[in-house]
Amino acid sequence: MSSARWIWIPHREYVNQHLYLRKRFELTSAVKSAVVRVTADTRYKLFVNGTLVVRGPARGFPQYQPVDELDIAPYLKTGPNVLAAHVLSFGISTAQNVFRDRAGFFCEGSVTFESGMPVELDSNHTWRLKAARGYRRYVARSASQMGYQEHYDVARDAFAGDPDGVNWMLPGYDDAAWGRPHILGTPGTLPWRTLQTRETPMLKTVLRKPSTLVGQWDGPDLLLDAQHEDASDVTKMVRSEVRTVAASPHFDKLETLLEGSGGGTATIRPAPDGKFVVCVFDFGETRFGYTALKVCGASGGETFDLVYGEQAGEGGLDVSPGIANASEAYDTSLGDRLMCAAGTNRFESVQARGFRYLMLVCRNIRTPITIEHVAIQEIEYPAEQHGAFACSDPLLNTIWETGVRTLRHCMADTYMDCPTRSQEQGWAATRVAGAVAAYALGDLALYRRGLKLMAQGIMQDGLMLGVVPSERPDCVIPDYSLHWIASLNEYHQFSGDSKPLKEHREIVEKVLGYFAVHAGERGLLGAAPNYTLFLDWAPGLDRGNLSATYNLLYLHALRHAVQIGNVIGFTGLANHCVRQANALSERIITAFGTSHRNLLVESVDMRTGEPSDLVSQHATALAVMCGVLSGRGSGRSATMGQASATGQVLLAVGVEDPRDPIIHDHADTQGGMGPVADVLSNFLPPPGLDIAPGPVRANLFFRQYVHKALLRIGLGQRALDDIRRTWGYMLEHGATTWWERMPMKPGASRCHAWSAHPTAFLSRHVLGLYPIEAGWRRFGVDPQSFDLKHAAGKVPTPHGDISISWTINADQIREFELTVPKGTEAYVTIDRSELPRMLKEGTHRWSEVD
C-alpha cells in the first residue's frame, strides 16, 4: 500500500506561497527504474540531484487533479541522491485554476533494482521542507486572470555556504534545520478527490536569447523611497516614474547577449545618483515560457525589474515614455523583480510569462555589474508540423505560416486564448485552434483535453464555464457552451474518435436543456442577465434583447447535436434535436425575418417585440450556413437552393448531410444572394471602425463564419480578398503573430489563437480537402482556384498525410496530382455537373478544364 501523502507546511499559508521540499535517499546498486507520479496545487518544479526534470502540473480542476508520471532513473546515481521540488501555491482562483482553501504537494513512486527491496520516494514525513523566504508574498497580481508577480530577494533566501541558492537541491546540503511536513491526507483527500494521469504530452523548453536590442534609457528612481505605495507592483511603479532618454549609454556590449552573437557578457556601469537605467530586448515575436536572468559581481542591494510587453512604439517598446503606457494598455502588471545579494544572482520565473519585449530596469547600480544572460526557456508543445501549404501568392503563404506560428505560441497544457495577459483556455479560441491544429499539425490531444475540461466545468443549471479550469463569474459565457457542442462533433470529424461523444452525451443533453429552459415559452434566447454573452468583439451587437446571432448559434449547436446523436446511436437525442432545430428555425424567421430585404434583423426588443434596424454580418452568415436564408434569397427556405459539390459527395457515398456544414462547407453555384451578398461583403478597410454606417461588421474572431457564408453563396473570392487585405494589413504593420481584434484596443493581445482561422480556410478551400467520413477514411477533394495559378500542400489525417497539388497551365487546363493514403478513399468533385469520382489509395494525376 502506498505511503504517499499530500503535504504542506504546518501553517495555513497559501496565498502566493513558495516552498522548497527535498528528500535525500541512498542507492547501493544500479537502478532498473524510478517511476514517480507528482503533482501540486498550484505549480511545481521537480529536480533530481540539482537537475530540473519537469515542470507541472497540467491545469485542471482540483477534484480531477492532473498528475505527471515520469521515470527519473537517468538522473540517479549510486550513493546519496536528492529529489527536490520548488512549489508555488497561488492561494486564489484564477482563469487557470480553482483554489479550494488548500495547497499541497504530492509525490508517489519508488526506485527499483534488478534484485532487492525498492527505495520509496513517497511524499510523507520522510521529506523536509522550508518556506522560500526570498519570494515576497504580498506583491501585485500579474493580471486578474493570473497569479502574482515574482519578487525574489536572494539575500533573504541565502543558505549557509550557498550564496547562489542552488546547492539545496544537491545531496551534500545539510537540511537538518528544515522542518517536517504537515500531512494533509492520502490520495482522495479534499479537494483532490482523484488523481488523473496527464492526458497531453509533456512540454519541452528551448532556451532563446533576444533577437535584437531596442535601446536603452535612464530616469529618476522612485524605488529609493522604500515607502513608495507602488513598490510592490513592478509595472505600476515604472509607470509612475518620469523617464528621460539617456544622454549616454550605461551598458557595454549588450549585443553579445543576442541570439547568434557568439556569446559573451554585457556590463552595466554605475548609474548616476537617484537614477535607474533600462534596456529593452526584442525576442522577435511573442514568446511563452520562463524568463531567466543571471548577473555577476553584485555588491548587494541592486534591483532588476523584468517588465514584459508586446507593443512597440516609435522608439521600439514604448518605454521612456513607454512601458508604463504598455502595462496600462494591458490592464495588467506583467513584471517580476530580482533583488541581489553580493556575488552571483540568478532568477528564473516559476510561472510562464508571455511577451515579445523584455525591459530590464536596473536600480541602485553602484559598481560595475556583469549580465551573463537574459533569456527565455520557451515552452514548445511537442507536435510536428505535418501540414503544408504553398500557392502562387506569397502573401497567402505567409498568412498560412503566421497562423501556424500563432497557434504554436498558444499551445501549452491547453490551447490558450493568448500567452500574455490571461493564458486562459477560452472556448471560442480553442474551437479555432482545434481546426487549425487538425489541418496544420495533425495533433488533437489538446482539443480532446479541452473538451473534457469544459465538461468538468458544467454547472448545476446545465450551463458550462466558458473558461476552464475556473469558477470566476466572468468566465461563464453562454455562447461558449454552444460552440463546445459544435466542437465535440468537429473533433470527431477530424479524428474519428467517438469516445468523447459517448463520454459527454449527458453533458450535451444538460447543456441543451439549459438553453431550452432559458428560451422559455417564446422559444427564443434573450439576454442572459446573470452571465456574459461574448458573440464577438463587435460593439453594435445587441446583447440585451432577443439576439438573432445568439439564437442562430443555438440552432448551429442543435444541428451538430443531431450528428452526435446519430454517431453514438442515440436516436432519441438526434430526433429531439431535429424537432428543436426545425421549430427554432421557423421561430427565427418569424421573429427576425425581413422579407422585403431578404435578411434578418440582429435583435428584437424583448418587451415590445419591435425589431431593430440593425443587420449584422454575424446573423447573416450563420443564417446562410444553417439554411435559414436560402440561396434563392427568399429568406424562408430551410435548404440551399441548389445542391453544392459537398452535397453531391455526401449523396454519392451515403453519408447524411449535416446541413450545418462547419467542416463540409462549400460554395453554392449561384454566385450571390443580393442583399445577403451585400451584407457579407461589406468589410471596412483595415483597421476598421467600431461603429460605422451599414451592417454590424464581424471582427477577427467571427470573420471565419462570414468567410464560410461567402463560400456557400459562391463568393469565395471575396472571402479570400478579405483575408489578403485584413491579415495582410497586420503583416504590413509588423505582426509576427495574429492580433486579437481590429482596430487594436487597450487590453487586446497581439498573439491570439482565434485569429489564426485563415490557415484552416486555405488548407480547406484552396487545397480543397475535408473529411466526409469521420477520421478521414473517406474524404472530399474540391480545390478552389480563386484567382490563383497553382497551389500545393499536405493535410495530416489518422491514416497518413494527404498530398495534393494543382496548376493552371497556359491553356487554362488545371493539372492535378493527389496522393491518397492507404486505407482511405478520395471523392473528387471538380465539375459540379457530374457526380464525384472515387479514387483509391495511391498517387493519381489528371487534368480538368478550369
Side-chain angles (χ1 to χ4, degrees):
M1 184 175 179
S2 171
S3 66
R5 301 291 186 268
W6 281 92
I7 59 176
W8 200 248
I9 56 174
H11 313 293
R12 288 175 59 89
E13 295 186 51
Y14 302 136
V15 176
N16 195 30
Q17 175 69 67
H18 291 256
L19 288 187
Y20 297 141
L21 305 97
R22 52 179 269 139
K23 178 182 175 65
R24 189 179 184 279
F25 54 97
E26 296 276 345
L27 300 178
T28 57
S29 60
V31 173
K32 178 181 179 182
S33 70
V35 176
V36 295
R37 301 172 72 227
V38 60
T39 187
D41 192 337
T42 314
R43 299 283 185 267
Y44 77 86
K45 297 166 66 176
L46 188 72
F47 303 85
V48 180
N49 294 326
T51 300
L52 175 63
V53 297
V54 65
R55 296 178 174 92
R59 71 187 75 187
F61 288 94
Q63 64 268 32
Y64 310 104
Q65 181 68 24
V67 60
D68 298 316
E69 184 173 304
L70 67 155
D71 189 347
I72 61 172
Y75 305 95
L76 300 176
K77 60 185 180 180
T78 303
N81 292 263
V82 163
L83 189 61
H86 178 173
V87 182
L88 165 62
S89 163
F90 287 173
I92 51 171
S93 292
T94 69
Q96 305 168 42
N97 75 294
V98 175
F99 177 68
R100 295 213 172 113
D101 200 36
R102 226 175 191 185
F105 172 77
F106 179 87
C107 179
E108 181 179 50
S110 60
V111 183
T112 61
F113 311 93
E114 293 294 341
S115 61
M117 294 295 292
V119 174
E120 175 192 285
L121 301 178
D122 293 347
S123 54
N124 50 36
H125 67 280
T126 63
W127 283 61
R128 294 198 176 253
L129 55 72
K130 67 175 292 184
R133 294 181 63 248
Y135 287 88
R136 300 287 177 91
R137 297 184 59 201
Y138 303 106
V139 298
R141 292 278 296 277
S142 296
S144 61
Q145 304 98 324
M146 297 168 62
Y148 291 86
Q149 294 180 357
E150 296 179 25
H151 292 201
Y152 181 49
D153 187 340
V154 178
R156 286 169 53 89
D157 220 13
F159 300 95
D162 181 18
D164 295 341
V166 294
N167 293 339
W168 69 272
M169 308 171 196
L170 301 178
Y173 180 77
D174 183 2
D175 60 12
W178 288 33
R180 295 292 184 184
H182 175 63
I183 305 299
L184 301 177
T186 60
T189 192
L190 288 173
W192 311 288
R193 297 299 290 171
T194 60
L195 295 177
Q196 296 190 346
T197 301
R198 186 187 188 103
E199 298 175 313
T200 56
M202 300 294 285
L203 301 176
K204 301 178 180 179
T205 60
V206 176
L207 184 69
R208 298 205 185 275
K209 298 179 181 180
S211 56
T212 58
L213 177 67
V214 176
Q216 51 181 294
W217 294 261
D218 68 9
D221 189 358
L222 298 182
L223 189 61
L224 295 174
D225 178 5
Q227 303 302 314
H228 193 275
E229 62 179 0
D230 295 332
S232 66
D233 184 339
V234 168
T235 50
K236 186 176 179 182
M237 185 186 64
V238 173
R239 181 167 62 247
S240 302
E241 294 169 323
V242 179
R243 292 160 299 281
T244 58
V245 177
S248 59
H250 298 283
F251 299 85
D252 292 328
K253 299 183 178 179
L254 281 173
E255 65 278 1
T256 63
L257 302 176
L258 303 180
E259 194 74 48
S261 65
T265 61
T267 302
I268 313 174
R269 292 199 298 271
D273 290 342
K275 291 265 191 175
F276 69 75
V277 296
V278 56
C279 57
V280 178
F281 298 98
D282 181 359
F283 282 76
E285 57 195 65
T286 298
R287 307 285 183 179
F288 180 64
Y290 307 96
T291 49
L293 171 67
K294 182 180 179 182
V295 296
C296 302
S299 56
E302 298 89 346
T303 298
F304 293 87
D305 288 342
L306 297 88
V307 190
Y308 314 115
E310 283 187 295
Q311 192 169 355
E314 292 182 359
L317 180 63
D318 201 2
V319 177
S320 186
I323 184 64
N325 294 335
S327 68
E328 234 173 46
Y330 287 105
D331 190 27
T332 62
S333 295
L334 291 172
D336 294 314
R337 177 173 290 160
L338 170 66
M339 294 160 276
C340 292
T344 298
N345 294 260
R346 297 176 178 88
F347 174 84
E348 183 173 292
S349 64
V350 179
Q351 301 166 79
R353 304 304 193 189
F355 59 93
R356 173 174 174 174
Y357 298 98
L358 171 60
M359 181 176 77
L360 190 63
V361 183
C362 314
R363 307 174 186 276
N364 197 27
I365 308 300
R366 304 183 303 277
T367 59
I369 291 182
T370 299
I371 306 177
E372 287 209 359
H373 74 256
V374 178
I376 181 172
Q377 290 283 356
E378 185 176 19
I379 291 172
E380 288 193 349
Y381 180 84
E384 295 182 19
Q385 182 178 317
H386 289 277
F389 177 85
C391 71
S392 55
D393 184 347
L395 174 59
L396 294 178
N397 300 338
T398 301
I399 288 171
W400 192 91
E401 287 289 352
T402 304
V404 177
R405 187 162 54 250
T406 301
L407 171 69
R408 285 197 178 276
H409 290 320
C410 294
M411 297 174 74
D413 53 342
T414 60
Y415 295 126
M416 301 178 292
D417 280 17
C418 63
T420 50
R421 71 165 193 271
S422 64
Q423 303 173 12
E424 65 188 26
Q425 179 189 261
W427 201 256
T430 296
R431 184 179 179 188
V432 173
V436 175
Y439 273 110
L441 305 180
D443 185 301
L444 295 175
L446 291 184
Y447 207 5
R448 181 176 61 249
R449 171 63 177 165
L451 289 165
K452 186 172 185 176
L453 279 175
M454 285 284 286
Q456 291 175 350
I458 194 165
M459 301 187 298
Q460 286 186 337
D461 61 3
L463 195 60
M464 304 175 112
L465 289 151
V467 175
V468 287
S470 178
E471 289 180 344
R472 291 161 48 97
D474 59 345
C475 288
V476 184
I477 307 172
D479 44 314
Y480 281 20
S481 294
L482 298 172
H483 284 295
W484 178 84
I485 292 175
S487 297
L488 193 60
N489 187 37
E490 289 171 9
Y491 167 79
H492 173 248
Q493 290 292 320
F494 286 126
S495 68
D497 177 12
S498 61
K499 186 177 178 181
L501 277 61
K502 298 172 183 176
E503 290 177 343
H504 302 321
R505 176 184 63 81
E506 292 184 2
I507 303 296
V508 171
E509 292 181 284
K510 288 180 181 179
V511 171
L512 291 176
Y514 166 84
F515 287 102
V517 170
H518 183 52
E521 295 181 1
R522 183 164 32 199
L524 291 168
L525 299 175
N530 295 324
Y531 304 126
T532 303
L533 275 179
F534 170 65
L535 303 180
D536 185 34
W537 285 134
L541 293 175
D542 186 351
R543 298 171 177 82
N545 287 297
L546 295 177
S547 163
T549 298
Y550 190 18
N551 280 278
L552 283 160
L553 283 173
Y554 182 23
L555 177 59
H556 170 87
L558 285 167
R559 296 275 172 77
H560 279 284
V562 172
Q563 298 303 303
I564 292 170
N566 288 334
V567 168
I568 64 177
F570 187 30
T571 56
L573 172 64
N575 293 337
H576 171 75
C577 290
V578 167
R579 293 190 296 271
Q580 290 287 95
N582 291 340
L584 178 59
S585 180
E586 289 301 316
R587 287 192 290 268
I588 288 172
I589 293 170
T590 300
F592 301 100
T594 57
S595 58
H596 64 290
R597 297 170 65 186
N598 300 320
L599 293 169
L600 303 179
V601 296
E602 172 55 33
S603 62
V604 171
D605 191 290
M606 293 182 67
R607 294 169 299 174
T608 66
E610 288 295 315
S612 69
D613 293 329
L614 285 176
V615 173
S616 71
Q617 288 185 326
H618 307 73
T620 305
L622 291 173
V624 168
M625 292 167 57
C626 294
V628 174
L629 291 177
S630 77
R632 303 184 191 281
S634 68
R636 298 290 176 181
S637 174
T639 60
M640 299 299 291
Q642 183 174 343
S644 69
T646 298
Q648 292 176 331
V649 172
L650 296 173
L651 180 64
V653 300
V655 177
E656 183 179 356
D657 189 339
R659 295 179 63 199
D660 189 9
I662 301 307
I663 294 174
H664 304 300
D665 51 10
H666 196 280
D668 198 339
T669 58
Q670 300 180 72
M673 296 169 59
V676 169
D678 293 340
V679 169
L680 293 176
S681 303
N682 193 338
F683 298 114
L684 287 170
L689 303 171
D690 274 352
I691 300 176
V696 179
R697 282 88 168 181
N699 216 298
L700 296 181
F701 165 67
F702 221 91
R703 202 73 65 89
Q704 62 185 306
Y705 302 114
V706 180
H707 295 162
K708 292 174 186 290
L710 284 167
L711 279 155
R712 290 278 285 171
I713 62 172
L715 297 176
Q717 183 64 52
R718 298 189 188 181
L720 191 68
D721 291 342
D722 177 57
I723 289 172
R724 282 189 175 113
R725 184 175 65 168
T726 302
W727 277 258
Y729 173 88
M730 288 186 265
L731 292 174
E732 290 171 3
H733 288 76
T736 54
T737 50
W738 297 133
W739 303 347
E740 179 180 1
R741 60 182 296 168
M742 292 179 70
M744 285 294 289
K745 291 284 187 179
S749 71
R750 293 175 179 264
C751 180
H752 215 81
W754 69 35
S755 298
H757 55 81
T759 294
F761 177 98
L762 294 170
S763 291
R764 165 63 186 87
H765 297 292
V766 176
L767 300 183
L769 302 175
Y770 59 96
I772 296 172
E773 184 178 324
W776 297 84
R777 196 185 73 80
R778 292 186 284 187
F779 61 91
V781 182
D782 191 10
Q784 305 298 295
S785 58
F786 300 114
D787 58 359
L788 302 171
K789 297 302 181 184
H790 60 81
K794 294 190 300 182
V795 170
T797 80
H799 304 278
D801 298 341
I802 304 169
S803 298
I804 188 171
S805 64
W806 58 261
T807 302
I808 301 175
N809 65 23
D811 297 322
Q812 297 304 300
I813 302 296
R814 195 150 52 139
E815 300 173 344
F816 296 87
E817 181 174 306
L818 173 70
T819 299
V820 180
K822 184 178 181 180
T824 67
E825 298 173 351
Y827 288 80
V828 181
T829 307
I830 305 298
D831 185 348
R832 295 183 184 84
S833 65
E834 300 177 357
L835 287 175
R837 180 168 71 254
M838 191 269 283
L839 299 176
K840 293 286 189 179
E841 61 188 60
T843 299
H844 307 268
R845 298 175 182 86
W846 73 96
S847 300
E848 304 275 357
V849 177
D850 190 56

